[in-house]
Amino acid sequence: QVQLVESGGGLVQAGGSLRLSCAASGRTISNYGMGWFRQAPGKEREFVAGISWNGGTTYSTDSVKGRFTVSRDNAKNAMYLQMNSLKPEDTAVYYCAARMFVPSMTDNEYQYWGQGTQVTVSS
């Protein structure tokens, strides 16, 4: 079993930055593809970014390209999401998730999920 805990969310003004962290425990995540998802009120959960087990490949949705960067540190059993130039439409609960080896843009392909961290961007 892998337990995931997100942190780093908060309230920020438009144009600001936040860095989310996803700390894993129970098992090393070095063999897991990792993903970030978000869910805004009244909307479905959507893929934000993903990173392969060794960090060699990253993916992100078009709306965050050039603004968000996903990274990981397997020695620390953690994954990160650096979010710059934040916009009000980025407001959501952000979740990290894990699945074996490669990430996926489909949430139901992940085995493990964190509880989420709220990101609120004011205009």
Side-chain angles (χ1 to χ4, degrees), residues 25-117:
S25 62
R27 184 179 293 184
T28 177
I29 59 169
S30 58
N31 292 330
Y32 287 82
M34 303 290 293
W36 286 102
F37 289 77
R38 66 186 180 187
Q39 187 167 21
K43 295 188 177 181
E44 292 187 353
R45 188 162 54 188
E46 65 170 348
F47 173 79
V48 176
I51 187 165
S52 60
W53 65 274
N54 63 354
T57 305
T58 61
Y59 313 81
S60 60
T61 192
D62 286 347
S63 63
V64 307
K65 277 186 169 68
R67 300 189 298 122
F68 291 10
T69 302
V70 59
S71 62
R72 67 190 295 162
D73 186 338
N74 285 344
K76 295 183 177 180
N77 227 28
M79 175 180 65
Y80 309 98
L81 186 67
Q82 178 66 44
M83 305 187 296
N84 299 328
S85 302
L86 282 160
K87 304 175 181 180
E89 50 264 43
D90 295 318
T91 295
V93 177
Y94 284 71
Y95 300 89
C96 66
R99 69 186 297 266
M100 287 301 289
F101 300 122
V102 296
S104 168
M105 294 188 288
T106 305
D107 58 0
N108 64 12
E109 293 186 356
Y110 286 82
Q111 287 83 45
Y112 303 106
W113 288 86
Q115 82 292 345
T117 186

